[in-house]
């Protein structure tokens, strides 16, 4: 592979203008497809539900038997009155409520407004401190949704403060907000890190330019597809976040190798070819691991999760292709200007840097010596830190959707909680579908049994189907849809679904569907972790030709994932960083987050494993003893790995400052996971374990060694070509 990639790099450098124009044409073509698709308006909304759960199948059957309940297109809002003092039936308070309801009747789009104080149909709490009015709308367009909701918000905001009015519900589907300043700050800090790493503003700028252009191409490709077929906002967010991070890192690895080759005296064209053949091979392998991890999300068998994984994998693929083609072209344009002034002057004096020469003592060599000399202490300390960080994971709660909206500070959430406190789960009822030959004779027994379950607040009398074989029964739980008591209630009804002879019960409704979706995602997570572990071990065995190193690397990855889970729980569920993180906190973790963290962190962990341990492996193959190989591998690849991880962290930290809860939680988990994996697993646990294992770390059965393909990350085939006929190096481009 290294020989092929070196030819790709040399071709790109030689025909640099063709490569640059080709990528610009591709970018323009994607923009044209996106514009054409958007103008046609052919794409539908993305589907975010999970099909074929017990509750969703029951809902389909219920809709067939009770079409009137299924065909309602009306949407509602609630005006929740919670006076500061007194009760809602006081004459003065009732007059104020009537005045607000009169204004609500005149709102655009409102078809009817219920009066909670109407003696015929009251909607007030037992203690008379809460009253709820319902605003009913018909079927609305997207423009009408926003206009009518804003009008309803004005009613709530302008209502007399003494009434404590909150607006429940939301007519407007929530999407990802516009990027905030944090994302831009992350990119600026990434540029500063690159400039410090290279000592060259030009090299840092080219590195960042490639990454940003890669995000642009990747996003336009996804948006072009999305203009023709439905795609969700979360897919775009994950793709941009991951595309920017790996785009910077992949270019960093190749550009760093290019600079080393220039410092060794190679001509610009030879340096481009050599860097693309060696570091480019590592980039291909690392990129493929990320892509495989993301595409492997399809094992969850959830369409919107697969969509997110494939979109992010496309963004990573674009980053890899740019690093192998456009970057070599731009490196040819840069020539020796990719080096710092100090390095260029050293070249002019004939001072050449050699791959084989021992690295001068530095921070990374000193750090590696400390870890190598104290492996047991280092191993214990690293594992202890990760375990402590992971402990909050033991209390992790997940939910497919957060009832009342994802922001606890909104009027929508306040209204939801007020109704929940006074009326139980009336906003999220369970629907029990009972089937029997003559269901009318069994409804009393069914309702009595349902009322006896723990967690049931009320059972609404049954509605019978036209043929008398189905009954639709509303069950009001005591708690909300994500309460453990409600989940136990759903499972309890299902466990006793056939307790009455000749009758079968099924549970459906939005609450039951959400519970099924959450549990299905958790089962998918277990399956996905198993797949990821198997993929990890196989890929690393192929790359490092060792059995113990893949095992240690995979265990370290699992520890870093656990640390990311634990930190995410502490911040977004417990609210530890509420003053610092702009996104809403205090809610359960969204069910899709663990799946995404497992997949993305696997790919990134394998990146660091490849770039660090492949250097240690190379030093060991050159005859160094294990501890010396660790020190030398650290000295050569450690600084670049630290820079790459730091860039990843600041990029993700920028996204973590978003007000968008999903995006912020994904970014924060990735930030912690990258920090844990790069700075603890790869820079502490891995070298400590290698030091303890010694030569046995590289053991592999002979029969397995013979059948494994040779990935050739360090470019041995290129070394052989150099030995066969190496031309004299040239110091100019």
């Amino acid at each position: 592979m290294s020989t092929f990639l070196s030819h790709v790099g040399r071709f790109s450098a030689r025909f640099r203008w063709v490569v640059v124009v080709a990528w610009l044409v591709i970018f323009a073509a994607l923009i044209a497809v996106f514009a054409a698709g958007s103008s046609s308006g052919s794409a539908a909304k993305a589907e975010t539900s999970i099909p074929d759960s017990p509750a969703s199948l029951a809902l389909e059957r219920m809709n067939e038997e009770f079409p009137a309940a299924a065909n309602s297109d009306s949407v509602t809002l609630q005006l929740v009155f919670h006076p500061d003092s007194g009760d809602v039936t006081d004459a003065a308070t009732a007059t104020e409520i009537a005045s607000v309801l009169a204004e609500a009747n005149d709102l655009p789009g409102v078809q009817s407004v219920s009066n909670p104080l109407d003696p015929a149909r009251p909607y007030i709490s037992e203690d008379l401190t809460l009253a709820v009015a319902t605003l009913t709308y018909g079927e609305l367009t997207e423009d009408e949704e926003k206009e009518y909701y804003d009008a309803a918000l004005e009613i709530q905001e302008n209502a007399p403060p003494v009434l404590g009015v909150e607006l429940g519900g939301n007519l407007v589907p929530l999407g990802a907000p516009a990027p905030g300043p944090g994302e831009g700050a992350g990119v600026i800090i990434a540029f500063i890190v690159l400039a410090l790493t290279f000592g060259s503003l030009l090299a840092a700028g080219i590195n960042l330019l490639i990454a940003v252009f890669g995000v642009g191409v990747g996003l336009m490709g996804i948006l072009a597809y999305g203009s023709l077929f439905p795609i969700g906002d979360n897919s775009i967010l994950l793709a941009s976040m991951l595309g920017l991070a790996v785009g910077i890192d992949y270019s960093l690895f190749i550009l760093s190798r290019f600079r080393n080759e220039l410092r060794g005296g190679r001509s610009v064209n030879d340096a481009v070819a050599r860097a693309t053949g060696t570091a480019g091979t590592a980039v291909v392998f690392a990129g493929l691991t990320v892509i495989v991890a993301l595409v492997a999300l399809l094992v969850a068998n959830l369409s919107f999760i697969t969509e997110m994984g494939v979109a992010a994998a496309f963004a990573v693929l674009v980053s890899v292709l740019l690093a192998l083609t456009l970057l070599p072209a731009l490196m040819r344009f840069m020539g020796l200007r990719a080096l710092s002034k100090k390095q260029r002057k050293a070249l002019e004096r004939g001072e050449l840097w050699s791959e084989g020469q021992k690295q001068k003592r530095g921070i990374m060599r000193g750090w590696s010596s400390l870890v190598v000399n104290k492996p047991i202490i280092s191993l214990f300390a690293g594992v202890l830190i990760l375990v402590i960080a992971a402990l909050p994971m033991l209390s992790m709660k997940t939910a497919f959707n957060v009832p009342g909206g994802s922001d606890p500070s909104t009027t929508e959430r306040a209204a939801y909680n007020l109704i929940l406190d006074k009326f139980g789960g009336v906003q999220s009822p369970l629907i029990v579908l009972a089937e029997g030959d003559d269901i009318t004779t069994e409804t009393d027994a069914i309702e009595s049994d349902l009322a006896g379950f723990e967690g049931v607040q009320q059972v609404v009398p049954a509605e019978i189907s036209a043929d008398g074989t189905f009954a639709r029964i509303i069950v009001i739980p005591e708690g909300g849809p994500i309460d453990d008591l409600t989940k136990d209630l759903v499972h309890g009804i299902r466990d006793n679904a056939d307790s009455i002879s000749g009758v079968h019960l099924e549970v459906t409704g939005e609450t039951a569907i959400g519970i099924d979706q959450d549990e299905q995602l958790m089962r998918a997570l277990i399956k996905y972790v198993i797949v990821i572990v198997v993929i990890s071990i196989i890929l690393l065995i192929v790359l490092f030709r060792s059995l113990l190193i893949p095992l240690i690397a995979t265990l370290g990855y699992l520890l870093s994932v656990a640390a990311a889970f634990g930190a995410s729980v502490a911040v977004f569920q417990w609210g530890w960083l509420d003053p610092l993180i702009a996104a809403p906190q205090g809610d359960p973790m969204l069910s899709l987050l663990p799946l995404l963290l497992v997949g993305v962190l696997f790919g990134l962990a394998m990146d660091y494993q490849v770039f660090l341990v492949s250097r240690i492996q190379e030093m060991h193959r050159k005859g160094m003893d294990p501890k010396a190989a660790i020190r030398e591998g650290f000295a050569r690849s450690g600084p670049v790995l630290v820079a790459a991880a730091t860039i990843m962290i600041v990029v993700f930290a920028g996204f973590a400052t978003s007000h968008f809860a999903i995006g912020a939680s994904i970014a924060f988990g990735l930030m912690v996971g990258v920090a844990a994996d790069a700075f603890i697993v790869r820079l502490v646990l891995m070298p400590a374990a290698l030091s303890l294992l010694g030569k046995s770390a590289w053991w592999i059965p002979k029969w397995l060694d013979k059948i494994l393909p040779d990935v050739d990350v360090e470019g041995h085939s290129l070394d052989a070509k150099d030995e066969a006929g190496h031309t004299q190096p040239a110091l100019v481009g």
Side-chain angles (χ1 to χ4, degrees):
M1 180 182 290
S2 58
T3 301
F4 169 74
L5 291 179
S6 71
H7 290 323
V8 171
R10 192 179 294 275
F11 176 89
S12 299
R14 181 179 179 184
F15 299 100
R16 50 195 179 278
W17 280 112
V18 174
V19 172
V20 170
V21 171
W23 275 109
L24 292 175
V25 168
I26 291 172
F27 188 38
L30 292 174
I31 293 175
V33 172
F34 169 65
S38 299
S39 62
S40 67
S42 58
K45 290 185 178 180
E47 178 62 52
T48 58
S49 63
I50 302 176
D52 299 334
S53 69
S56 62
L57 292 173
L59 182 64
E60 291 177 4
R61 299 189 67 190
M62 189 200 74
N63 289 340
E64 292 174 0
E65 301 298 330
F66 299 91
N71 294 331
S72 176
D73 293 325
S74 63
V75 292
T76 62
L77 295 176
Q78 294 82 38
L79 284 173
V80 181
F81 299 92
H82 184 52
D84 295 337
S85 60
D87 62 61
V88 294
T89 59
D90 288 343
T93 303
T95 301
E96 294 278 9
I97 291 175
S99 176
V100 174
L101 295 181
E103 291 183 40
N105 261 312
D106 295 331
L107 286 173
V110 170
Q111 294 182 342
S112 65
V113 177
S114 68
N115 181 4
L117 305 181
D118 183 355
R121 300 186 65 182
Y123 197 167
I124 56 178
S125 61
E126 290 184 4
D127 59 5
L128 305 180
T129 61
L130 192 76
V132 182
T134 301
L135 282 61
T136 303
Y137 295 81
E139 187 175 0
L140 306 178
T141 65
E142 289 187 13
D143 291 339
E144 288 174 337
E145 287 173 348
K146 186 175 188 320
E147 178 189 349
Y148 296 171
Y149 184 68
D150 288 343
L153 273 178
E154 286 188 21
I155 291 284
Q156 180 262 328
E157 293 168 354
N158 296 328
V162 294
L163 291 181
V165 180
E166 302 289 353
L167 182 66
N170 197 330
L171 300 179
V172 184
L174 298 179
E183 289 91 327
V187 173
I188 293 172
I189 296 173
F191 176 76
I192 294 173
V193 173
L194 288 171
L196 293 175
T197 302
F198 291 134
S200 166
L201 292 177
L202 179 61
I206 291 297
N207 196 329
L208 192 59
L209 174 65
I210 293 288
V212 172
F213 181 70
V215 171
V217 174
L219 285 185
M220 287 314 307
I222 296 169
L223 291 172
Y225 176 87
S227 67
L228 304 174
F229 305 96
I231 191 168
D233 289 340
N234 292 335
S235 299
I236 298 171
L237 179 70
L238 180 63
S240 60
M241 188 188 308
L242 192 56
L244 180 61
V246 301
I248 293 175
D249 277 6
Y250 293 164
S251 295
L252 171 63
F253 292 128
I254 294 177
L255 193 50
S256 296
R257 189 59 180 260
F258 169 66
R259 284 157 48 86
N260 286 344
E261 298 298 335
L262 288 178
R263 292 173 62 196
R266 292 186 186 273
S267 68
V268 172
N269 285 335
D270 287 342
V272 169
R274 181 78 181 193
T276 311
T278 53
T281 302
V283 164
V284 169
F285 191 90
L288 284 177
T289 60
V290 181
I291 292 170
V292 167
L294 292 169
V295 174
L297 283 167
L298 61 85
V299 303
N301 196 29
L302 310 171
S303 59
F304 71 100
I305 291 288
T306 300
E307 172 194 288
M308 293 178 70
V310 172
F314 175 75
V316 173
L317 176 62
V318 170
S319 296
V320 172
L321 294 176
L322 284 170
L324 297 176
T325 56
L326 184 58
L327 178 60
L330 297 183
M331 289 192 301
R332 179 63 183 84
F333 280 119
M334 282 192 294
L336 294 178
R337 289 176 297 170
L339 301 176
S340 65
K341 290 182 179 179
K342 181 179 179 181
Q343 292 167 343
R344 292 201 298 269
K345 289 180 179 179
L347 271 181
E348 291 172 1
R349 294 192 299 267
E351 299 175 8
L352 302 182
W353 180 87
S354 171
E355 266 290 307
Q357 74 185 37
K358 188 175 181 179
Q359 298 289 292
K360 296 180 180 179
R361 184 169 184 84
I363 295 176
M364 293 310 302
R365 180 176 288 278
W367 176 257
S368 63
S369 296
L370 175 65
V371 174
V372 166
N373 293 335
K374 304 288 185 181
I376 296 178
I377 295 176
S378 300
L379 200 62
F380 176 78
V383 171
L384 181 63
I385 291 172
L386 292 176
V387 169
I388 291 174
L391 285 177
M393 183 179 66
L394 298 176
S395 67
M396 183 173 72
K397 293 184 177 181
T398 59
F400 188 76
N401 287 308
V402 179
S406 60
D407 188 349
S409 66
T410 61
T411 183
E412 177 185 357
R413 177 69 77 86
Y416 182 90
N417 289 337
L418 285 170
I419 296 175
L420 180 64
D421 291 341
K422 299 298 182 180
F423 299 98
V426 67
Q427 302 169 101
S428 47
L430 301 176
I431 302 175
V432 176
L433 185 67
E435 180 181 6
D437 291 336
D438 186 10
I439 204 69
T440 56
T441 62
E442 304 290 351
T443 54
D444 289 342
I446 297 171
E447 292 169 9
S448 177
D449 280 2
L450 290 175
F453 280 99
E454 184 181 3
V456 173
Q457 177 171 286
Q458 180 186 357
V459 177
V460 179
E463 177 186 353
I464 309 301
S465 64
D467 60 3
T469 59
F470 285 89
R472 178 176 178 268
I473 306 170
I474 305 297
V475 177
I476 308 298
E478 293 178 358
I482 61 175
D483 290 351
D484 290 336
L485 192 61
T486 305
K487 295 178 182 179
D488 293 340
L489 174 58
V490 170
H491 292 300
I493 295 173
R494 287 173 175 167
D495 292 341
N496 294 273
D498 300 302
S499 59
I500 298 177
S501 179
V503 175
H504 177 72
L505 304 181
E506 294 182 66
V507 188
T508 185
E510 185 178 348
T511 296
I513 290 174
I515 291 172
D516 284 352
Q517 290 171 337
D518 180 54
E519 293 176 351
Q520 190 169 346
L521 281 167
M522 290 303 100
R523 290 194 296 270
L525 175 63
I526 296 172
K527 185 194 304 183
Y528 186 48
V529 168
I530 294 172
V531 170
I532 284 294
V533 167
V534 172
I535 291 174
S536 171
I537 292 175
I538 292 175
L539 288 175
L540 293 180
I541 287 176
V542 171
L543 181 64
F544 296 120
R545 311 184 88 80
S546 162
L547 295 183
L548 292 178
I549 288 177
L551 180 61
I552 296 168
T554 304
L555 291 175
Y557 152 72
L558 293 175
L559 280 173
S560 64
V561 169
F565 282 0
S568 296
V569 169
V571 171
F572 289 96
Q573 188 174 311
W574 295 355
W576 278 15
L577 295 181
D578 192 38
L580 300 178
I581 301 293
Q585 297 177 45
D587 292 328
M589 186 181 296
L590 291 181
S591 307
L592 62 85
L593 180 60
L595 268 171
L596 296 178
L597 287 181
V598 165
V600 176
L601 286 177
F602 167 73
L604 300 180
M606 294 306 102
D607 283 359
Y608 300 138
Q609 180 73 10
V610 169
F611 290 115
L612 178 64
V613 180
S614 61
R615 275 298 206 179
I616 297 175
Q617 180 187 39
E618 181 67 14
M619 298 300 107
H620 179 68
R621 284 181 174 178
K622 289 182 176 180
M624 290 187 179
D625 67 79
K627 291 188 176 182
I630 295 170
R631 294 189 186 97
E632 200 64 25
F634 256 69
R636 295 178 186 278
S637 60
V640 178
L641 187 149
V642 168
T646 301
I647 290 168
M648 284 265 193
I649 291 169
V650 298
V651 169
F652 290 142
F655 282 94
T657 62
S658 169
H659 289 77
F660 188 40
I662 297 176
S665 57
I666 293 173
F668 182 82
L670 292 177
M671 180 186 73
V672 174
V674 167
D677 195 88
F679 293 110
I680 298 181
V681 174
R682 307 306 154 190
L683 296 185
V684 177
L685 301 187
M686 182 56 64
L690 289 176
S691 179
L692 287 172
L693 291 172
K695 292 183 179 180
S696 62
W698 306 100
W699 176 82
I700 189 172
K702 291 183 178 179
W703 65 268
L704 182 57
D705 186 53
K706 290 180 180 179
I707 63 175
L708 289 178
D710 187 4
V711 178
D712 191 18
V713 175
E714 286 302 318
H716 297 301
S717 59
L718 298 179
D719 290 335
K721 292 182 71 173
D722 282 349
E723 292 174 3
H726 179 59
T727 58
Q728 290 295 320
L731 302 184
V732 294

